[in-house]
Amino acid sequence: MNTETMETNKTATTKTERISGCEAIIRCLIAEGVDILYGYPGGAIMPVYDELFKYQGKIHHVLTRHEQGAAHAAQGYARISGKVGVAMATSGPGATNLITGIADAQIDSTPLVCITGQVPSHLLGSDAFQETDIVGISTPVTKWNHQITNAEDIPEVIAKAFYIAKSGRPGPVLIDITKDAQFQEFDFSYEKCESVRSYNPAPKTNIESVKAAAELINNAKKPMIVWGQGVILGEAEEELKAVIEKAGIPSAWTILGASAIPTSHPLNIGMVGMHGNYAPNKLTNECDVLIAIGMRFDDRVTGDLNTYAKQAKVIHFDIDPAEIDKNVKTDVAVLGDSKESLGLLLNELNPNSHEAWLQEFKDLYAIEYEQVIKGDLLPEKEGLTMGEVLKEINAQSKGDAAIVSDVGQHQMIACRYAKFNKTKSNITSGGLGTMGFALPAAIGAKMAAPEREVVAIIGDGGYQMNIQELGTIFQQEVPVKIVVLNNEFLGMVRQWQQLFFDKRYASTEMTNPDFVTIAKGYHIDAKRVTKREELADAVKDMITSKSSYFLEVCVEKEDNVFPMVPAGASVSDVRLS
Amino acid sequence: MNEEIKTYTISVYTENNIGLLNRISAIFQRRTINIESLTTSQSEIENVNRFVIVVNITESQAKKIVGQIEKQVEVIKAYYHDDHETIFTESCMFKIKSELLFDEPQIQNIIKESDTRIVTVNKEFFVLEKSGRRHEIEALRRDLNAFGIMQFVRSGRIAVTKDEMKVTELLSQIKNQ
Ligand SMILES: Cc1ncc(C[n+]2csc(CCOP(=O)(O)OP(=O)(O)O)c2C)c(N)n1
């Protein structure tokens, strides 16, 4: 094609423009409303970085210190905003470093678009420098992936990527783009994707199934709801609240469902699962109708399936047909988007209250309070507990903070004790349990929601898995608050060693560096607390600080998290000590 | 949970896409389910591919597997059927030394009786082809084995279902949405 005809084409259809593949990538991202992306440059993605340089001011690229950090930051961004998070990396090691974050996003249904550079197409399959089959590697952990070797495919594939990542049950998508396709020029135009022929993201709710569910609920004497992240992903918080209140149903949540309904709501009966609350775990095996909403009966939630809610009729609301009957056999399945389904359910429900049944939860809570919670929140022993740190953070942030937790004891304590007033406030790695998640995820969360207080709660182990991201916080001036609960152990593993391996503490004790000095090395205000008297002021300083802040709290070394449903045990065998 | 393990034929209608085979086989691999055979071809619908996958599993496993397969973006629809619900066949080929055709009159009888087709004959070898059920193919292989087989190969199962699968309707519904 000569330049003359090109010009005529351009004027004929003002929409197309002749640009390079790499510029097209940036233009596609901007067209999708991407304002921030996280990544790390390298050979095979350099043309795109060159365009990022030219498009500064229109799109903000955040250089993390590791590609894993980029993936988790994009996750944090997505989890707090509901938007698609974007991460970018070069081929080979850059791409493989994204994988943990992608796998985490897959199991926690987080919308991500990851863009990786790839060696030029003529070198594909030749074991070229930094060539790795990232499409092959990422296949089992992506909702969809695709390799582009021809610039003309870029707009359509990227549009499809965003659509697939966000629609239905969200998930991560990876697009691998060869370097030659990045350089290639073509006539660019962009159209958003609105459907994919073979893909039905959200089945339409069947009203008959809703009526069947309502009938069971209306006739139930002891109904119980367990909701999950599906409520948050479907933005169905208001509908859920209305359902709960109208039918007067005691309602519990999974870790990823936390914060969809405020902690203080009188019908919010707490968390289910391995370290969930005593009452909802025990009474799962007493209820007569169990209503699961946007949750997937993970083994950490159900314990032994053969003794899980056998007495109950089970109703399962989900957007993903593959979840129905996957782990727990349902009596009524309501397939569809949670907002739509719960909206329809609301109309079918009779107003009700279950005071006596709710009282059973309160009675068991009183037992849990006496045996566990009091000691966690108002300890009489000398050493600091993780629980009292959370209590202090609740008090200072008034329950408005988004809590980004890592993985381990501190995570369970954070989920158990954090007060949530607002939805999308509990950001944690639930399904994969990825240590190292919290620090970068907090960066993404804070950048996506600068108006919110974002507090990362991390163990001394997990902190050191992505501690390098302090560099990102410093360079980007991200005012996140970082709390390391230092027990000088890989606490959760130590707890299992104590309980199930006769206290043989194999490789769980940690000799730690001076964390305060490290934070200060990155010019981040930092403080260490070792005594109870210092805690309140230190947390206050942290919360009132306008910039990033690091707080290390040296806690009791060998505390355990209870209640606990031992792995493989029945939920009704939940232990208090 | 003492469900019976049966042979199921899983039919999958898909967009023709590189990498989909990987995605689908990974679903079986993750659950340590052995794929007995897998065949892919054009389907009755233009530009729509069809996988025929044979596995020995329980019905509840089959249900879950089909759910996981359907969840893949490029899969249009998946079904599972047992042997009573499908018409199925496999085909096989034998390469045998030509001299045997003349030295062993038995072979000619075997070919005739088993409804086997002679594809080609030349000086060194001849090639037989037969379609049928597994046990028929196995019987033929046993019979011919007595004389010596240079090469044997058997295809995966191909199958059509007795019931309608309504994929065309589904596709037009999607289009009209
Ligand atoms: C990447 C990764 N490696 C290993 C584990 C296994 N694991 C789960 S919790 C835990 C200990 C976490 O220790 P720490 O970060 O100090 O937190 P604590 O439990 O002490 O609060 C480990 C090793 C994991 N979840 N993730």
Side-chain angles (χ1 to χ4, degrees):
Chain A
M1 202 190 273
N2 65 35
T3 34
E4 227 171 295
T5 49
M6 252 167 52
E7 283 306 311
T8 17
N9 279 349
K10 207 170 148 185
T11 37
T13 57
T14 43
K15 274 192 194 150
T16 73
E17 226 180 305
R18 196 153 183 89
I19 59 173
S20 63
C22 49
E23 184 173 1
I25 294 167
I26 306 303
R27 297 273 290 268
C28 294
L29 295 179
I30 292 171
E32 287 293 339
V34 176
D35 50 354
I36 302 173
L37 73 159
Y38 302 87
Y40 212 101
I45 194 77
M46 278 185 68
V48 180
Y49 274 81
D50 197 40
E51 293 300 327
L52 280 167
F53 187 82
K54 295 179 198 157
Y55 278 85
Q56 281 177 72
K58 298 211 170 73
I59 187 164
H60 180 44
H61 177 271
V62 174
L63 173 68
T64 55
R65 294 302 183 266
H66 189 297
E67 290 87 352
Q68 185 186 352
H72 292 326
Q75 287 183 276
Y77 176 97
R79 289 273 289 269
I80 205 166
S81 68
K83 296 201 283 184
V84 177
V86 181
M88 189 175 278
T90 190
S91 66
T96 56
N97 275 347
L98 290 175
I99 289 292
T100 302
I102 295 175
D104 195 286
Q106 169 83 344
I107 200 162
D108 279 352
S109 308
T110 308
L112 285 194
V113 169
C114 298
I115 295 176
T116 51
Q118 182 56 281
V119 301
S121 55
H122 72 275
L123 292 178
L124 283 171
S126 72
D127 301 326
F129 178 65
Q130 295 194 328
E131 182 192 1
T132 190
D133 174 14
I134 198 63
V135 170
I137 290 171
S138 65
T139 291
V141 290
T142 46
K143 185 172 173 186
W144 185 65
N145 60 8
H146 192 83
Q147 184 176 67
I148 298 176
T149 54
N150 189 341
E152 289 189 348
D153 298 338
I154 288 172
E156 197 190 324
V157 171
I158 292 187
K160 203 170 154 186
F162 276 86
Y163 171 68
I164 290 170
K166 185 72 180 75
S167 57
R169 179 176 182 172
V173 170
L174 180 137
I175 304 299
D176 192 36
I177 309 177
T178 58
K179 200 171 178 179
D180 51 329
Q182 296 172 35
F183 281 127
Q184 208 176 29
E185 297 213 324
F186 73 110
D187 295 326
F188 173 80
S189 69
Y190 195 75
E191 229 179 285
K192 280 203 175 193
C193 174
E194 273 154 15
S195 73
V196 171
R197 181 171 79 160
S198 54
Y199 167 63
N200 179 15
K204 256 204 100 39
T205 308
N206 172 341
I207 186 71
E208 293 312 315
S209 66
V210 174
K211 284 183 175 156
E215 162 135 20
L216 279 180
I217 297 170
N218 287 334
N219 290 316
K221 298 274 171 295
K222 295 178 166 190
M224 172 173 158
I225 285 177
V226 177
W227 85 78
Q229 194 191 200
V231 172
I232 297 173
L233 293 171
E235 299 186 331
E237 293 92 343
E238 284 309 314
E239 287 79 2
L240 175 64
K241 188 156 161 276
V243 161
I244 289 173
E245 288 173 355
K246 186 171 182 187
I249 303 173
S251 301
W253 35 276
T254 68
I255 280 190
L256 289 194
S259 84
I261 302 285
T263 321
S264 57
H265 193 284
L267 289 165
N268 184 336
I269 49 163
M271 177 164 92
V272 290
M274 185 172 269
H275 293 290
N277 289 101
Y278 190 56
N281 273 323
K282 265 234 164 311
L283 296 181
T284 294
N285 281 357
E286 305 264 325
C287 66
D288 59 357
V289 176
L290 180 65
I291 307 134
I293 305 173
M295 57 83 88
R296 58 188 177 83
F297 293 109
D298 178 81
D299 56 288
R300 284 292 192 265
V301 162
T302 64
D304 176 29
L305 279 175
N306 294 322
T307 53
Y308 181 79
K310 285 294 172 199
Q311 78 295 340
K313 294 262 188 255
V314 177
I315 303 172
H316 193 176
F317 287 77
D318 211 285
I319 199 167
D320 179 358
E323 289 301 339
I324 306 300
D325 290 341
K326 188 184 80 176
N327 296 332
V328 170
K329 189 101 188 78
T330 49
D331 296 279
V332 176
V334 182
L335 274 173
D337 173 68
S338 54
K339 197 176 182 73
E340 186 186 352
S341 300
L342 291 175
L344 291 169
L345 177 69
L346 185 64
N347 298 333
E348 304 293 329
L349 290 179
N350 299 336
N352 209 338
S353 75
H354 297 276
E355 284 308 324
W357 170 231
L358 185 61
Q359 189 58 43
E360 291 190 40
F361 288 89
K362 289 181 182 163
D363 293 346
L364 291 181
Y365 178 82
I367 296 174
E368 181 180 345
Y369 185 82
E370 273 310 309
Q371 296 193 35
V372 179
I373 300 173
K374 203 163 83 179
D376 279 353
L377 300 186
L378 305 162
E380 284 170 3
K381 60 184 176 189
E382 197 189 329
L384 284 157
T385 66
M386 293 183 177
E388 65 188 306
V389 180
L390 260 297
K391 182 169 148 261
E392 205 50 52
I393 292 169
N394 287 337
Q396 299 288 347
S397 67
K398 302 183 179 64
D400 287 335
I403 303 291
V404 185
S405 54
D406 210 72
V407 172
Q409 291 183 312
H410 64 280
Q411 175 191 35
M412 295 300 122
I413 294 290
C415 293
R416 284 175 52 75
Y417 296 122
K419 290 265 175 291
F420 298 116
N421 298 335
K422 293 185 184 150
T423 187
K424 296 196 176 87
S425 291
N426 188 44
I427 298 169
T428 193
S429 166
L432 204 64
T434 305
M435 285 173 71
F437 173 86
L439 190 60
I443 296 173
K446 184 66 192 179
M447 294 183 87
E451 73 289 357
R452 297 206 59 185
E453 185 71 65
V454 175
V455 182
I457 312 271
I458 319 181
D460 47 315
Y463 184 51
Q464 295 179 78
M465 278 210 177
N466 274 321
I467 195 168
Q468 77 285 348
E469 298 307 332
L470 290 174
T472 312
I473 292 171
F474 169 50
Q475 185 174 356
Q476 299 285 331
E477 300 179 28
V478 191
V480 287
K481 311 298 165 63
I482 308 155
V483 179
V484 165
L485 299 177
N486 185 359
N487 54 13
E488 294 175 51
F489 270 108
L490 297 173
M492 185 56 91
V493 177
R494 189 210 53 74
Q495 174 170 347
W496 284 48
Q497 288 170 334
Q498 180 184 342
L499 297 176
F500 311 118
F501 295 88
D502 290 330
K503 282 201 173 189
R504 290 186 297 276
Y505 291 166
S507 294
T508 43
E509 199 163 1
M510 295 263 241
T511 306
N512 286 321
D514 180 342
F515 289 127
V516 167
T517 301
I518 288 175
K520 286 189 170 159
Y522 285 98
H523 307 281
I524 294 170
D525 285 344
K527 188 160 199 167
R528 175 183 299 115
V529 166
T530 54
K531 294 194 193 76
R532 186 157 294 128
E533 311 82 88
E534 308 162 346
L535 182 64
D537 283 347
V539 171
K540 187 168 177 203
D541 286 350
M542 173 181 81
I543 297 291
T544 50
S545 168
K546 293 271 173 281
S547 47
S548 55
Y549 196 98
F550 173 81
L551 177 65
E552 175 187 0
V553 184
C554 299
V555 295
E556 192 76 69
K557 289 178 70 166
E558 298 190 32
D559 271 354
N560 290 332
V561 184
F562 285 105
M564 179 175 192
V565 180
S570 168
V571 283
S572 44
D573 293 336
V574 50
R575 289 169 55 172
L576 287 170
S577 63
Chain B
M1 295 263 202
N2 292 327
E3 255 194 289
E4 188 193 354
I5 293 184
K6 281 211 287 196
T7 300
Y8 285 100
T9 300
I10 297 178
S11 310
V12 189
Y13 286 83
T14 73
E15 300 290 359
N16 195 348
N17 183 272
I18 306 174
L20 194 54
L21 176 60
N22 244 345
R23 242 174 218 288
I24 290 177
S25 65
I27 290 169
F28 293 89
Q29 186 206 346
R30 248 182 91 183
R31 294 166 180 78
T32 56
I33 293 170
N34 193 34
I35 295 179
E36 300 298 323
S37 82
L38 188 154
T39 308
T40 150
S41 73
Q42 166 73 47
S43 74
E44 63 275 18
I45 306 158
E46 202 59 42
N47 294 324
V48 170
N49 256 30
R50 181 167 172 173
F51 286 69
V52 176
I53 305 165
V54 180
V55 281
N56 294 319
I57 49 179
T58 65
E59 179 160 14
S60 63
Q61 274 180 311
K63 236 183 227 164
K64 287 180 199 180
I65 288 279
V66 161
Q68 295 297 331
I69 292 175
E70 276 193 348
K71 197 162 144 170
Q72 305 307 316
V73 169
E74 267 128 359
V75 170
I76 298 162
K77 191 80 191 151
Y79 304 86
Y80 69 91
H81 293 95
D82 69 19
D83 286 356
H84 301 295
E85 299 165 317
T86 55
I87 315 288
F88 59 93
T89 186
E90 292 174 347
S91 62
C92 68
M93 291 170 87
F94 297 86
K95 177 176 161 182
I96 298 173
K97 276 204 180 90
S98 287
E99 58 200 53
L100 291 175
L101 199 52
F102 309 105
D103 298 351
E104 304 279 355
Q106 255 303 95
I107 289 194
Q108 300 206 18
N109 288 339
I110 294 172
I111 293 171
K112 233 180 257 157
E113 279 159 25
S114 62
D115 203 14
T116 300
R117 196 166 70 86
I118 300 177
V119 181
T120 185
V121 188
N122 66 30
K123 265 200 292 206
E124 281 119 56
F125 62 84
F126 65 101
V127 175
L128 299 177
E129 185 268 344
K130 172 169 173 59
S131 306
R133 291 293 176 94
R134 173 72 61 90
H135 64 92
E136 298 173 277
I137 290 171
E138 272 307 290
L140 180 63
R141 191 178 64 83
R142 261 196 316 274
D143 291 346
L144 292 173
N145 215 17
F147 309 102
I149 299 170
M150 293 167 80
Q151 286 185 32
F152 168 72
V153 65
R154 189 183 66 225
S155 78
R157 171 187 291 196
I158 54 172
V160 293
T161 62
K162 294 179 185 169
D163 281 352
E164 225 181 320
M165 288 200 279
K166 301 197 174 157
V167 176
T168 313
E169 272 173 45
L170 197 85
L171 282 176
S172 65
Q173 268 172 23
I174 298 172
K175 241 182 241 160
N176 297 335
Q177 256 172 26

